[in-house]
Amino acid sequence: MGRYVIRRLLQMIPVFIGATLLIFLMVNVMGDPIAGLCGERQCDPATAAQLRSEFGLDKPVWQQYLTYMGNVFTGDFGTAFNGQKVTELMATAFPITIRLTIVAIVFEIIIGITLGVLTGLRRGRPVDSGVLLLTLVVISVPTFVTGLIVQLLLGVKWNVISPSVSSAAPLGELIVPGLVLASVSLAYVTRLSRTSIAENTRSDYVRTAVAKGLPRHRVITRHLLRNSLIPVITFIGTDIGALMGGAIVTERIFNIHGVGYQLYQGILRQNTQTVVGFVTILVIIFLLANLLVDLLYAVLDPRIRYA
Amino acid sequence: MRRATHAKWAAGALAVALTATACGGGGGSGGGADGVLSSSWGDPQNPLEPANTNEVQGGKVLDMVFRGLKRYNPKNAKAENMLAEKIETTDSTNFTITVKNGWTFSNGEKVTAKSFVDAWNYGANLTNNQRNAYFFGQIDGYTAVHPDSGKPTATTLSGLKVTGPQTFTVKLSQKFSTWPDTLGYAAFAPLPSSFFKDHAGWLSKPVGNGPYTIDSYTKGSQMSLRKWDTYPGPDKAQNGGVDLKVYTDNNTAYTDLTAGNLDLVDDVPASQLKNAPADLGSRYINTPAGIIQTLAFPYYDKAWNTPDAQKVRTGLSMAINRKQITETIFQKTRTPATDWTSPVLGKDGGYQAGLCGKACDFDPAAAKKMIADGGGLPGGRIQLTYNADTGSHKDWIDAVCNSINNTLGNDRACVGRPIGTFADFRSQITQQKMPGPFRAGWQMDYPLIQNFLQPLYFTNASSNDGKWTNAEFDKLVNEANAESDTQTAIKKFQQAEGVVRDNMAAIPLWYQNGSAGYSERLSNVELNPFSVPVYNEIKVS
């Protein structure tokens, strides 16, 4: 197991370097960021040159990348255009987005798996068809539509929540945005666990467990659910990264100053340092979540062993 | 064992869900002279220094925290003395400025002539990377502190001299009669000595001499400004303070306003313009601002730089149905342009309604003939370039193209050419890569006709993106600047504007309004000619 983990960690290095290089090149291809800094007018050439050298933009791209990576390993992610350290931006943005992601994941796990088990055990019944239809609707409606409607109804019409999240973004205010963010994945989790449960109810080990005379709840939780969760866990694991990066839409709608917002600003202002820095961290989170999922397999199904 | 942990998880989540009771934001505490209002804000793009701030969001703060030698009257845009006791000149080149006594910064330090001279020297110096450095370009010695290339050879402007505690002299490198009127711009604000001693500390909590002081500043999320009780100026704050809140999207700010969580939105999103009058009634403001939008042309492209092309440009101008576009797409928050300046200048300031004449009237038949006379569109079709990331540029560009296509009876005559980001749009412009006409917008720095003409159309001027050049225009502008009498100077500028018109150097489209909405708690809300709310006048009930 330990060797497996080390091997996986080592595999991350090329993925990490490749991903950051790609992002670096993509942001650089978009053109000269200094041009946008002076508003509608052209920066005077001397100031532009000065700014360019301050941000290291006057060097060739490969050299910029090497310097950047060198700095990253010492924990220096550079400076954003407004003079703030990118690490400072991260320190404010990541806790908020992580909180939002946790809320979303918790919703996915609790609601998604519960509904999945419920419908999986009652295939073809009205509950099943009802939930299937509902998830279909959720999947087909884009997140920004769901978000705006929820915001309008709960925030403006019924005054249940505040339509915007305050800058501190406490957990309580993130419940509704978290639900919106989770909605699509939640529907997938429901459908995935439903199929998986429905398949496994007919398997030999479940029949054996029932024949042994085990109580129903024990059959379901210990035998049926444990085996059926593998695909679901895989999905949720990869979803962690997707949720954090994909929160751009939800964060904009609900005024959450998290990773999505910083990334959006960074892209708009073509701020290489911000974009690459945030994406770098997201890549790491994505890789670690995947590793965690793989390790969880062994816990769920002891037949899966890692040498 | 494992089951127990599952149960704990579920219980924890439930507890979280239960604590999530509605906790509304709500406005400030109480009303009257101590009432604090909340207002929408955007994250300033650059560090907040007077000579480094060139966009509206940062400018908003500077307007609350600083007062300069002059101030533009929020109602009629006239430059009036603020800290300036008097500004005297006999030759439009050498100016003697006397700073009023009795002004201090909010930290108690006296505002003296040195506060200005130090600030201006700092702003002009290349090593300080100030984005507005060119504002000091008219002062003698600028090229030494801010050379076009290489290192500066001096750290102070030779044209600035402190001659007494409250007096200093300015020598310009050439005649510029209306120069004193530019001094209301934020870049010319005075700076306290703490700015130079502890720069990082100052940046995290700027100290100025205006009606408000900065109470707290959390970059990227909120700035709390409070009334400065012992402010020595005549325009004391009528409210207790302003909380500027950064919004990720101005749509969310607008939603917050309608839900009663926010007091003031100074930029109503385009998608809500239709609803705003119904939602807000008389609390919706829509007033002219010093902004004009035009279509500029790439004169570095030979196809556009011929006598025939001038006819094509005029024809294109006549093919655009400005009235219809401003009414349907902009919900009357734009006014069809009939000259190249802005109505906020007023008649005395040089604005001339109808100067453009027939060339700005929608006349499909004449337009078609004019373009045919000029040999048709260069290459048979044109591409209008714009940035698609902000504003609703796509909507109006498509409408303009539609108008041109309908006029010419050709569906492919004009197409929009979107560019992903503003930065990329700007960089393609500076690299002179425009394949055809492109979107150009101009927000005035100061309410002078000079500011609408010289930076945009003078040969090699800072914002002459199309590289238009005309000897007659340059000559008239130089003459106007040398004129010591303001009214005569304005007349000369108007003559120069006539040259722009005769050549259709750029197609004027429309004047932009500022739009804002506010809650029932507020009264006396107005936008100044720069479309920034006059915060110190707002009353909270």
Side-chain angles (χ1 to χ4, degrees):
Chain A
M1 188 82 160
R3 271 180 59 194
Y4 173 77
V5 174
I6 291 172
R7 209 166 64 220
R8 281 291 302 268
L9 287 175
L10 285 177
Q11 276 170 13
M12 283 184 192
I13 296 173
V15 178
F16 176 73
I17 293 176
T20 45
L21 181 65
L22 260 178
I23 302 293
F24 210 87
L25 291 175
M26 281 192 315
V27 178
N28 270 284
V29 161
M30 294 193 328
D32 179 12
I34 300 297
L37 275 185
C38 292
E40 293 281 0
R41 88 181 68 226
Q42 198 177 330
C43 287
D44 77 273
T47 311
Q50 180 94 359
L51 284 169
R52 219 166 266 135
S53 80
E54 185 182 307
F55 292 113
L57 296 166
D58 51 346
K59 305 212 173 62
V61 176
W62 64 267
Q63 207 176 330
Q64 284 182 43
Y65 179 71
L66 284 185
T67 338
Y68 181 80
M69 287 313 275
N71 288 339
V72 164
F73 283 112
T74 58
D76 176 12
F77 282 85
T79 315
F81 288 153
N82 68 352
Q84 253 181 311
K85 286 250 164 237
V86 174
T87 42
E88 232 175 85
L89 291 176
M90 288 177 179
T92 53
F94 268 101
I96 293 173
T97 298
I98 288 173
R99 233 175 296 155
L100 182 67
T101 312
I102 289 175
V103 172
I105 298 270
V106 166
F107 273 123
E108 273 180 33
I109 292 173
I110 295 179
I111 303 182
I113 294 179
T114 314
L115 283 180
V117 173
L118 228 62
T119 52
L121 293 173
R122 290 179 177 73
R123 245 172 325 137
R125 308 261 186 86
V127 189
D128 184 29
S129 329
V131 172
L132 271 185
L133 195 72
L134 197 75
T135 50
L136 186 71
V137 171
V138 171
I139 291 172
S140 52
V141 178
T143 321
F144 74 90
V145 176
T146 330
L148 285 172
I149 291 177
V150 167
Q151 183 186 42
L152 187 72
L153 290 181
L154 295 179
V156 181
K157 292 268 186 281
W158 302 330
N159 248 322
V160 187
I161 56 158
S162 155
S164 69
V165 171
S166 61
S167 50
L171 207 52
E173 291 181 17
L174 293 176
I175 300 282
V176 176
L179 192 57
V180 170
L181 178 62
S183 58
V184 172
S185 305
L186 200 156
Y188 281 120
V189 168
T190 307
R191 290 186 150 219
L192 260 177
S193 37
R194 172 190 173 270
T195 321
S196 184
I197 294 261
E199 220 167 78
N200 286 334
T201 37
R202 280 171 306 197
S203 62
D204 294 344
Y205 63 85
V206 172
R207 209 178 328 134
T208 312
V210 175
K212 276 200 300 188
L214 290 178
R216 189 175 153 80
H217 70 86
R218 193 165 167 81
V219 175
I220 293 173
T221 50
R222 296 290 290 177
H223 296 262
L224 182 56
L225 195 55
R226 192 163 157 178
N227 280 289
S228 309
L229 275 185
I230 291 186
V232 182
I233 292 281
T234 315
F235 178 78
I236 294 180
T238 48
D239 209 32
I240 293 176
L243 285 179
M244 291 194 89
I248 293 187
V249 175
T250 321
E251 293 195 352
R252 272 201 79 176
I253 295 176
F254 290 99
N255 191 37
I256 301 168
H257 297 249
V259 172
Y261 169 65
Q262 293 295 352
L263 263 178
Y264 178 74
Q265 289 276 327
I267 292 169
L268 268 194
R269 293 176 182 174
Q270 233 176 301
N271 201 328
T272 322
Q273 313 275 341
T274 323
V275 177
V276 180
F278 275 83
V279 172
T280 305
I281 301 288
L282 284 178
V283 167
I284 294 176
I285 292 176
F286 205 86
L287 290 173
L288 287 178
N290 266 311
L291 176 63
L292 198 72
V293 167
D294 285 353
L295 295 180
L296 265 181
Y297 285 167
V299 179
L300 287 171
D301 187 346
R303 284 172 303 178
I304 304 173
R305 288 262 159 70
Y306 303 112
Chain B
M1 270 291 277
R2 205 167 282 138
R3 266 239 326 253
T5 43
H6 278 301
K8 236 187 260 169
W9 258 82
L14 193 69
V16 166
L18 287 176
T19 46
T21 40
C23 26
S29 54
D34 295 323
V36 174
L37 65 119
S38 55
S39 175
S40 69
W41 196 34
D43 203 9
Q45 189 171 9
N46 304 321
L48 265 181
E49 298 164 283
N52 208 6
T53 299
N54 56 3
E55 37 77 61
V56 181
Q57 304 304 339
K60 212 184 268 184
V61 176
L62 295 183
D63 190 47
M64 297 162 87
V65 179
F66 280 103
R67 284 294 177 263
L69 290 168
K70 293 242 180 192
R71 177 166 170 77
Y72 302 115
N73 187 309
K75 287 197 170 51
N76 59 20
K78 286 239 154 40
E80 292 163 354
N81 279 353
M82 197 74 196
L83 267 73
E85 178 94 49
K86 51 184 189 259
I87 302 174
E88 292 168 321
T89 181
T90 50
D91 56 359
S92 297
T93 310
N94 289 290
F95 294 83
T96 309
I97 299 173
T98 314
V99 182
K100 275 182 193 158
N101 257 315
W103 281 80
T104 59
F105 291 99
S106 59
N107 62 6
E109 189 185 325
K110 220 170 163 304
V111 183
T112 60
K114 195 171 176 300
S115 318
F116 284 97
V117 172
D118 286 352
W120 296 6
N121 279 328
Y122 179 88
N125 196 331
L126 176 61
T127 48
N128 298 324
N129 283 342
Q130 302 289 294
R131 284 145 182 91
N132 288 339
Y134 60 89
F135 272 93
F136 307 99
Q138 285 106 358
I139 300 172
D140 213 22
Y142 179 73
T143 43
V145 293
H146 199 113
D148 282 341
S149 58
K151 292 249 175 294
T153 52
T155 53
T156 53
L157 292 159
S158 61
L160 289 179
K161 281 204 176 62
V162 179
T163 52
Q166 299 299 112
T167 53
F168 64 105
T169 58
V170 182
K171 184 173 185 294
L172 301 184
S173 46
Q174 59 184 34
K175 287 182 180 231
F176 186 3
S177 56
T178 44
W179 181 76
D181 284 354
T182 68
L183 296 176
Y185 191 74
F188 294 103
L191 286 168
S193 55
S194 62
F195 178 88
F196 304 99
K197 278 184 206 136
D198 176 16
H199 192 232
W202 191 93
L203 276 184
S204 64
K205 203 175 161 184
V207 171
N209 64 332
Y212 290 96
T213 58
I214 293 169
D215 194 48
S216 67
Y217 179 21
T218 317
K219 274 186 188 162
S221 63
Q222 180 164 331
M223 179 183 273
S224 297
L225 295 123
R226 290 295 171 263
K227 177 187 185 176
W228 178 21
D229 285 321
T230 50
Y231 171 64
D235 53 341
K236 276 189 191 302
Q238 304 293 309
N239 47 59
V242 180
D243 285 337
L244 295 174
K245 293 181 173 172
V246 173
Y247 275 86
T248 50
D249 186 356
N250 58 358
N251 272 297
T252 313
Y254 185 81
T255 311
D256 246 3
L257 174 72
T258 48
N261 290 323
L262 186 72
D263 290 321
L264 178 62
V265 169
D266 64 351
D267 179 21
V268 177
S271 54
Q272 302 284 2
L273 286 174
K274 209 185 271 180
N275 313 326
D279 286 351
L280 301 165
S282 61
R283 292 179 283 114
Y284 168 61
I285 307 178
N286 180 16
T287 50
I291 306 171
I292 183 168
Q293 278 178 328
T294 60
L295 283 181
F297 294 91
Y299 289 98
Y300 40 79
D301 181 348
K302 279 210 177 68
W304 286 105
N305 208 353
T306 63
D308 273 349
Q310 184 207 320
K311 284 183 185 153
V312 176
R313 292 196 295 271
T314 315
L316 284 173
S317 171
M318 294 163 101
I320 300 168
N321 192 342
R322 295 174 176 75
K323 188 164 177 292
Q324 194 187 34
I325 295 172
T326 50
E327 278 171 15
T328 52
I329 291 177
F330 293 118
Q331 305 293 329
K332 297 193 175 172
T333 57
R334 308 280 192 280
T335 313
T338 56
D339 81 339
W340 280 260
T341 65
S342 163
V344 298
L345 293 180
K347 239 180 130 142
D348 297 343
Y351 167 66
Q352 282 172 294
L355 176 76
C356 183
K358 281 209 166 62
C360 288
D361 288 339
F362 179 54
D363 186 346
K368 207 170 170 178
K369 187 171 175 296
M370 200 74 159
I371 293 174
D373 280 357
L377 300 175
R381 60 200 288 259
I382 52 169
Q383 292 179 298
L384 299 189
T385 308
Y386 63 98
N387 57 310
D389 56 345
T390 50
S392 39
H393 298 315
K394 181 181 171 15
D395 296 344
W396 69 259
I397 287 275
D398 286 350
V400 165
C401 267
N402 250 329
S403 196
I404 293 172
N405 289 343
N406 288 341
T407 302
L408 296 180
N410 174 3
D411 275 353
R412 301 175 44 92
C414 172
V415 287
R417 177 173 171 263
I419 292 181
T421 61
F422 179 67
D424 197 13
F425 176 65
R426 285 302 315 170
S427 87
Q428 292 197 21
I429 287 176
T430 42
Q431 290 169 47
Q432 311 195 351
K433 278 190 185 162
M434 290 292 130
F438 55 96
R439 171 190 91 74
W442 182 249
Q443 168 147 26
M444 65 178 188
D445 301 311
Y446 30 80
L448 288 180
I449 183 172
Q450 179 266 349
N451 194 234
F452 280 95
L453 297 175
Q454 193 168 2
L456 291 161
Y457 307 111
F458 199 81
T459 301
N460 284 326
S462 60
S463 290
N464 189 348
D465 290 330
K467 300 286 163 209
W468 186 68
T469 166
N470 182 297
E472 175 73 9
F473 176 86
D474 291 357
K475 188 178 123 265
L476 286 167
V477 166
N478 281 332
E479 282 174 21
N481 279 330
E483 196 60 60
S484 59
D485 178 57
T486 315
Q487 280 312 312
T488 335
I490 288 173
K491 286 262 146 44
K492 281 272 183 207
F493 276 120
Q494 288 179 329
Q495 279 179 30
E497 195 185 344
V499 178
V500 172
R501 173 196 56 191
D502 297 340
N503 288 281
M504 194 51 84
I507 297 179
L509 293 172
W510 33 75
Y511 311 117
Q512 188 172 326
N513 286 8
S515 58
Y518 55 96
S519 72
E520 280 157 0
R521 293 176 69 221
L522 306 188
S523 58
N524 205 20
V525 184
E526 272 185 351
L527 294 177
N528 70 13
F530 304 90
S531 80
V532 170
V534 189
Y535 284 102
N536 58 297
E537 301 279 345
I538 298 175
K539 292 197 170 83
V540 184
S541 64

